[in-house]
């Protein structure tokens, strides 16, 4: 398995600390660093800076959110970052959710599947270097009724740009299998992954005449090492509050892809109850409903032996790239956690 992490450029104690983390992560052997947007710092600006500070590590947008940029702007950004980094850029796209798209950007969160498909088609055409003439349900380029004619970008992609889609819903998973080079997933429980995720991904792969080996399955989870059972209990308790936010506070009252993903993996009743408590303002009550199994099943938290065994399970389930979110109160602590996790991944792969 390859190793990766995801950061937000504004998410650390300081901007400089996050940059230091990226530089040091490359030194200890990390393969890929994804940079998130969410509702904080934008990803492409930080990626350009990190590209200048690193030499080997792949860098990806994890993710650029549909609707915040036109498809042509996405293509321009991707080609620029790829050329600047010497071919180290991975384009990650995601639909985001109604709260961010409508509440922050003022863009309707409508027909995300069709918007994603058409965005990918337009981006790929621009990557190929041809003039763009496109007529779809979401985009018509050039805009009709005016004097514009089809255009091509004045620059060319000097390297192939792999495309990753962030997907949780069955329909978006099928599209990922059909058109993408990789899947950026979360809320992953390997024991329930076939029904929740891989069945849908495989349907898409069949549509495009491909197999699982043609798709990089990139799954992420928090990694933290507990010295004993007492410490593990404290870690699990803290993670319950974060998971309650994902189940109850992400998206909107009616649209929460994280909640749906957990529901498909056997926790439908608990997930619904957590969302109800959260939406009612009872945050502590929502966290209290989250079970230990929900936390440990979807993270890499535990003793070193537990994390090693969990990585084996992930690998056997079909994960190609493990995205590690290292715990730690300081930069050095996060890097130490990441370094040990990378060593365990290599042990599990038999490459250490």
């Amino acid at each position: 398995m390859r190793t990766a992490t995801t950061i937000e450029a504004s998410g650390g104690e300081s901007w400089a600390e996050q940059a230091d983390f990226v530089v040091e992560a490359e030194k200890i052997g990390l393969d890929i660093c994804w940079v998130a947007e969410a509702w904080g710092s934008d990803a492409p600006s930080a990626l350009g800076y990190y590209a200048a500070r690193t030499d080997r590590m792949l860098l990806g947008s994890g993710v650029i959110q549909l609707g915040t940029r036109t498809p042509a702007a996405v293509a321009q950004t991707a080609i620029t970052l790829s050329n600047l980094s010497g071919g180290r850029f991975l384009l990650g796209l995601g639909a985001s959710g109604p709260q961010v798209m409508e509440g922050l950007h003022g863009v309707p969160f409508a027909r995300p599947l069709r918007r994603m498909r058409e965005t990918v088609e337009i981006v790929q055409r621009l990557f190929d270097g041809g003039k763009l003439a496109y007529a779809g349900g979401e985009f018509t380029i050039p805009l009709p009724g005016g004097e514009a004619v089809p255009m091509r970008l004045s620059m060319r992609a000097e390297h192939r740009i792999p495309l990753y889609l962030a997907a949780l819903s069955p329909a978006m998973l099928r599209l990922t299998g059909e058109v993408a080079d990789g899947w950026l997933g979360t809320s992953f429980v390997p024991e329930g992954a076939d029904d929740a995720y891989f069945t849908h991904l495989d349907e898409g792969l069949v549509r495009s005449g491909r197999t699982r080996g043609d798709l990089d399955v990139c799954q992420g989870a928090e990694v933290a090492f507990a010295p004993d059972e007492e410490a593990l209990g404290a870690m699990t308790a803290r993670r319950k509050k974060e998971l309650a936010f994902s189940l109850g506070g992400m998206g909107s009252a009616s649209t929460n892809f994280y909640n749906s993903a957990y529901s498909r993996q056997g926790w439908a009743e608990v997930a619904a109850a957590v969302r109800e408590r959260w939406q009612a303002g009872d945050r502590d009550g929502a966290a209290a409903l989250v079970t230990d199994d929900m936390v440990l099943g979807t993270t890499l938290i535990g003793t070193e032996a537990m994390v090693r065994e969990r990585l084996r399970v992930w690998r056997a389930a079909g994960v190609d790239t493990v995205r590690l979110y290292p715990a730690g109160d300081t930069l050095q602590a996060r890097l130490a956690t990441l370094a040990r996790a990378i060593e365990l991944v290599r042990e599990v792969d038999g490459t250490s």
Side-chain angles (χ1 to χ4, degrees):
M1 292 187 291
R2 293 191 300 180
T3 57
T5 194
T6 298
I7 66 165
E8 185 178 344
S10 59
E13 291 296 323
S14 69
W15 296 84
E17 180 181 289
Q18 285 292 65
D20 289 342
F21 175 83
V22 173
V23 171
E24 293 302 317
E26 180 180 58
K27 291 178 181 178
I28 61 178
L30 191 74
D31 296 308
I32 308 168
C33 181
W34 296 94
V35 179
E37 285 191 339
W39 49 92
S41 53
D42 80 290
S45 299
L47 284 162
Y49 180 60
Y50 298 150
R53 297 285 306 274
T54 56
D55 299 304
R56 173 197 56 80
M57 186 166 59
L58 298 177
L59 299 165
S61 57
V63 294
I64 289 176
Q65 301 165 100
L66 295 189
T68 61
R69 302 162 181 83
T70 66
V74 171
Q76 288 176 298
T77 298
I79 294 173
T80 300
L81 287 168
S82 178
N83 290 354
L84 278 174
S85 66
R88 292 188 289 131
F89 177 67
L90 309 174
L91 175 59
L93 298 176
S96 189
Q99 180 56 53
V100 171
M101 298 313 300
E102 298 180 359
L104 181 61
H105 295 286
V107 176
F109 185 73
R111 301 174 298 280
L113 183 68
R114 187 165 75 180
R115 178 174 286 183
M116 178 67 84
R117 179 181 289 278
E118 293 189 11
T119 295
V120 169
E121 291 174 353
I122 293 168
V123 166
Q124 293 288 13
R125 291 189 189 185
L126 290 169
F127 283 174
D128 291 339
K131 289 185 177 181
L132 180 61
Y134 188 89
E138 298 295 314
F139 303 101
T140 302
I141 305 171
L143 192 68
E147 299 180 4
V149 297
M151 295 181 62
R152 62 166 55 91
L153 295 180
S154 62
M155 60 176 175
R156 298 290 181 269
E158 299 169 2
H159 313 273
R160 185 177 181 276
I161 304 173
L163 171 68
Y164 286 67
L165 298 187
L168 285 174
S169 71
M172 196 68 79
L173 288 164
R174 285 191 287 271
L175 180 64
T176 300
E178 183 179 351
V179 305
D181 297 291
W183 168 44
L184 293 173
T186 187
S187 309
F188 182 76
V189 182
E191 291 83 359
D194 283 342
D195 290 339
Y197 300 119
F198 287 127
T199 295
H200 311 297
L201 286 169
D202 288 344
E203 288 177 13
L205 287 165
V206 168
R207 288 178 186 174
S208 59
R210 303 190 300 164
T211 66
R212 190 81 63 79
D214 297 309
L215 186 75
D216 179 25
V217 174
C218 181
Q219 277 298 330
E222 180 183 357
V223 57
F225 296 105
D228 51 45
E229 290 296 326
E230 182 178 352
L232 178 57
M235 288 179 179
T236 303
R238 286 196 297 271
R239 180 61 179 137
K240 286 180 179 181
K241 296 179 180 179
E242 299 168 4
L243 183 50
F245 169 68
S246 295
L247 295 172
M250 291 292 284
S252 66
S254 60
T255 305
N256 183 321
F257 297 117
Y258 297 93
N259 193 289
S260 297
Y262 274 84
S263 295
R264 291 198 306 272
Q265 294 175 108
W267 291 300
E269 292 185 8
V270 175
V274 169
R275 180 165 60 182
E276 183 178 353
R277 289 280 185 92
W278 188 278
Q279 293 292 328
D282 183 7
R283 308 297 166 78
D284 290 338
L289 293 174
V290 177
T291 67
D292 289 355
D293 286 346
M294 294 176 75
V295 172
L296 297 177
T298 54
T299 64
L300 295 168
I301 294 175
T303 63
E304 189 170 296
M306 290 172 62
V307 173
R308 182 186 292 106
E309 181 56 33
R310 203 67 188 150
L311 284 168
R312 289 195 180 100
V313 173
W314 278 43
R315 185 175 184 271
V319 174
D320 302 299
T321 301
V322 57
R323 204 161 69 251
L324 304 160
Y325 305 129
D329 295 329
T330 66
L331 172 62
Q332 292 307 316
R334 290 168 60 207
L335 287 169
T337 301
L338 181 62
R340 185 56 187 139
I342 291 173
E343 289 176 356
L344 290 181
V345 172
R346 290 172 177 167
E347 286 181 24
V348 168
D349 263 354
T351 58
S352 60

